[in-house]
Structure formats: structure tokens, C-alpha cells
Amino acid sequence: MPSFDMIALGCGGGPSEHNLSSYLLKPCDAHWSEGILALEAGSGIGALDKLLREQPTLFESDQIQLNHGESSLCTAMEVYSWIRCFLVSHAHLDHISGLAFTASTVGGRRTVFGLRRCLEIVESLLSGQLWPRLASWNADDDLPLTLQDLTGRSRLANDAKYHSVFPGVSVRTMPLSHGRVDEQRTYHSSAFFVSDDSSGREFLFFGDVEPDSVATEPHNRNVWRAAASKIPNTLDTVFIECSYPSGRTDDMLYGHLTPEHLVAELTALAAEVVDARTRTRQPNSSQEWDSDQEPVHTRKRRRRETAGSSSRGALAGLKVYVIHCKDDLQGVYAEPIHRVIASQVRTLVEEKDFGVEIISVEQGMKILILYRIQRRSAEQFGP
Ligand SMILES: [Zn+2]
Ligand SMILES: [Zn+2]
């Protein structure tokens, strides 16, 4: 019964520096001290120290037994030292600042995985000018961080697009649009399909992302298409940002989502799920078949044929964890902003009747992603 444990070390979208994107992950059947995969590297030691003061037993399976038999709780430094590798979606500071501030302080060497253009920015940040030189593409260099490009890499024979990043864990990386560098160029982020090798079960994690309807270079539909045939049996958990509350205009998105846009994206996912299920019911179809390789005209024709199909209940069994909500510094809302935004998404999506569950992520939340026979579910425990 393989599964993942995740702790949201930081889940906000800034500007508060104590709660920036940082998620600690491990296989459920291992101890935290046996190795952690960090998804994003925003908040680091400071946030961890604060969390451990509030929740001293957060990593309780790893209490250290002292010689005289008493137990001592883990320190932030110890927990951070268990991180073996980082997986970073893009190189904005709220997703990588932990690399700079902590990499040289905690001993040992770690791998940073990501798309090449993201890691090139990390390399330039940690090159000895803005910050000491800490990162290199060459593992033989004696530096704390080794950069590893996930672009076009393959290690698993059964799916050339997945890359092993951690014992028993592989990742497929897909590019996303996240606003613009300038008038000509799109700024890229990434989505990760994080897979348990032994079971083939996975979850989907989005870095910062803008709506396809706004992007000059839309990529989200490709991600939804890749996920659709797996929902809910082998993929029932999605982490995705919703940085702003309802009412923000498109010219003020800066590469992010609002509840309205997130629901439009989930509507696109529901359509892809209906499409994938229609396809698997057709004669000569195969679940092994790679939908990414399907000719566009075939896909469009089938979509016309299934245009009247209802997407009611299409996302039943799917849990969507809302992350990266930007702080409400003006105090406009009585409730914490992440709950306000998740509630707005929930209200809008309930009208669609997709059957999807919307969950607000809070800092310090422990998320248990369970795989059960026939059915998988994720459960969460509040901080
Ligand atoms: Zn961000
Ligand atoms: Zn960003």
C-alpha cells in the first residue's frame, strides 16, 4: 500500500517570506530521517523552526532517543539536513530562496531538479556575485548543489517521459506559462507528475501558472490531457495555485490564477476526462495508448462527436489542493485569504457539478496521500 506523506512547510504566494512555496515529501513507509524530497525551495530553516515550535511532534516518527532513554524532538536543522533533493518548478525567488539561504548552512550535497532554463537562472543566482557560488552542473565540483536538467530526460523503460529523482519516485515534467519576461518572451514554470514507481500511482503538482485563456503560449491543456485518463484511479490529487481572490482583472494577473480561471481550467480538465473515457470505450482503443501522440484532427473530430456529453461527475474522486494564495495585507477579508479563495473556488465549481473536492492548504498541514486497493484517497490533518 504505497503512499506519500507531505508537509506544507510553506504554501503562500507571498509577500510574507515566512510562508513561501515549500513542500516536504517522503514515502509513507519510510522515516523522514531516511530522506526527504522537497517540492520547491521557498521558505526554509526559519519557517521550519517556527513550525516545530508550534507543532513539536510534526516529525514525531523521528524522535531521537537519548542515551538515558528520554526522547528529544527534532530540530529544524536536523529535519532540513534530511532533504536529499529539490524539485523546483521555476526560478522566482519565492520558490528558490531556500536554496540560497540554507544550502551552504546545512552540510552535505543535494541535487536540484528542474527544467534547464529554470536551473540556468539558479546557477546564475548562486554563481558568486549575488550570492556565493553554491551550484554546478558538474557533480565532481565540490559544491553543495548539483543541478540536473529534467528536460527530455528518460530513465524508466515503460514511460520515456519519467525521470527518477528519489528512491522509488519518478517525475514527469511539463512546461507551463507563467506570465511574460518581456513583450516577446513567455516566462516558463513547470508541472510535475510525481509517481510512485512500485504502484504507478501519482499526483500532479503545478508550479505558478496562468490561465490558457490569457497565455500567449498556452500549455495547461496539454497537462490536463496527460492527466485525464489517469483520473481518479491512478491520479486523484492535484495541487494548483490560485493566487488571487475573485474579481481581479486579467491585466492584473501577472501570470497567476483567480477562482474564475481555476474553475475554467478544471472545466477543461473535465472535458479531457470525458474525452479520455469515450476513447477507452471505443473499439480498438487501448489504455496504453499515449494521448499526447494523437493527431490533432482526430482529437478534434472526437471532441465534436462527444461535445454533447455531460461532464457532470467527471471529476468525482479528485481532490484539488489550492495553494500559493497571496497575502491579504490590506485586511480586506475577515477570514485567512487561503480559506476565502478556496471557498470562492468551491462555490463556483459546485455549480458545475463535476464532483471534485476543493481543499485549502495551510502552512504546517500534513497531507497523507493514500493508495488503497481499487480506490485511493488523500486525507489531511490541520495544523
Ligand atoms: Zn510563486
Ligand atoms: Zn512565480
Side-chain angles (χ1 to χ4, degrees):
M1 198 186 295
S3 55
F4 292 111
D5 279 325
M6 179 190 275
I7 289 176
L9 173 56
C11 58
S16 297
E17 65 276 12
H18 67 274
N19 188 22
L20 303 176
S21 296
S22 191
Y23 303 86
L24 305 183
L25 189 74
K26 73 166 180 66
C28 230
D29 54 2
H31 293 293
W32 289 103
S33 59
E34 292 177 89
I36 294 174
L37 189 170
L39 268 172
E40 310 285 30
S43 289
I45 283 283
L48 195 47
D49 187 54
K50 181 169 169 283
L51 268 190
L52 286 170
R53 287 174 199 277
E54 294 163 357
Q55 302 182 70
T57 59
L58 196 56
F59 300 86
E60 63 180 1
S61 62
D62 291 284
Q63 287 180 11
I64 299 165
Q65 296 297 317
L66 298 178
N67 289 339
H68 45 86
E70 291 176 8
S71 67
S72 168
L73 299 174
C74 311
T75 65
M77 202 67 164
E78 281 166 337
V79 174
Y80 213 83
S81 73
W82 298 335
I83 294 175
R84 287 193 189 188
C85 63
F86 296 92
L87 195 55
V88 289
S89 67
H90 65 297
H92 280 162
L93 283 172
D94 58 319
H95 297 251
I96 62 161
S97 57
L99 296 177
F101 291 128
T102 312
S104 61
T105 317
V106 180
R109 290 162 70 174
R110 289 167 187 83
T111 307
V112 184
F113 294 99
L115 293 179
R116 172 162 285 276
R117 51 193 160 235
C118 163
L119 298 186
E120 284 170 348
I121 302 170
V122 172
E123 183 187 26
S124 65
L125 168 69
L126 306 177
S127 64
Q129 300 290 325
L130 186 60
W131 203 251
R133 185 164 181 249
L134 300 175
S136 167
W137 296 94
N138 187 350
D140 293 333
D141 287 348
D142 193 21
L143 294 173
L145 299 172
T146 303
L147 307 173
Q148 268 210 36
D149 178 16
L150 289 176
T151 316
R153 296 290 295 272
S154 62
R155 286 217 179 144
L156 287 184
N158 64 343
D159 188 332
K161 294 160 186 162
Y162 281 75
H163 176 65
S164 178
V165 295
F166 188 86
V169 182
S170 297
V171 168
R172 177 183 181 182
T173 310
M174 297 183 76
L176 300 172
S177 286
H178 175 30
R180 308 200 55 78
V181 179
D182 52 36
E183 287 197 354
Q184 278 79 40
R185 293 174 296 166
T186 293
Y187 187 88
H188 290 103
S189 172
S190 346
F192 300 119
F193 287 84
V194 182
S195 170
D196 176 89
D197 290 344
S198 61
S199 66
R201 311 279 182 145
E202 51 196 303
F203 69 87
L204 173 56
F205 182 93
F206 279 80
D208 295 0
V209 62
E210 67 184 332
D212 267 2
S213 60
V214 171
T216 312
E217 198 185 286
H219 289 285
N220 300 344
R221 194 82 187 206
N222 294 335
V223 179
W224 296 136
R225 189 169 302 129
S229 63
K230 302 172 180 179
I231 292 172
N233 292 333
T234 54
L235 192 161
D236 73 358
T237 302
V238 174
F239 293 85
I240 189 165
E241 73 133 281
C242 194
S243 293
Y244 300 112
S246 288
R248 195 156 175 112
T249 54
D250 286 358
D251 61 324
M252 298 285 282
L253 289 180
Y254 307 114
H256 294 290
L257 298 179
T258 59
E260 288 77 10
H261 283 299
L262 176 51
V263 172
E265 291 296 335
L266 292 175
T267 304
L269 172 60
E272 290 296 338
V273 168
V274 171
D275 191 48
R277 288 174 188 165
T278 307
R279 189 173 61 238
T280 55
R281 280 197 299 271
Q282 287 173 346
N284 305 321
S285 67
S286 164
Q287 284 190 309
E288 305 298 317
W289 185 69
D290 187 347
S291 62
D292 297 7
Q293 304 302 317
E294 183 181 24
V296 172
H297 63 273
T298 311
R299 193 160 56 228
K300 283 186 174 169
R301 189 184 64 227
R302 194 181 51 258
R303 201 168 283 153
R304 278 198 303 275
E305 289 166 2
T306 59
S309 305
S310 170
S311 49
R312 189 165 173 264
L315 303 182
L318 183 71
K319 294 173 192 291
V320 172
Y321 287 84
V322 176
I323 55 176
H324 202 274
C325 302
K326 288 189 178 285
D327 298 322
D328 168 29
L329 293 175
Q330 274 76 41
V332 173
Y333 300 95
E335 264 203 299
I337 191 66
H338 55 274
R339 290 190 201 156
V340 171
I341 291 175
S343 168
Q344 291 174 343
V345 175
R346 208 173 287 123
T347 301
L348 289 168
V349 88
E350 276 169 4
E351 291 170 16
K352 304 274 186 178
D353 211 9
F354 293 148
V356 62
E357 185 179 351
I358 304 295
I359 298 157
S360 164
V361 176
E362 308 197 11
Q363 189 175 29
M365 184 188 256
K366 201 168 189 176
I367 299 167
L368 178 59
I369 304 171
L370 282 178
Y371 301 96
R372 297 195 178 97
I373 297 170
Q374 301 294 341
R375 189 175 157 274
R376 190 186 129 195
S377 70
E379 295 167 4
Q380 61 287 331
F381 305 94

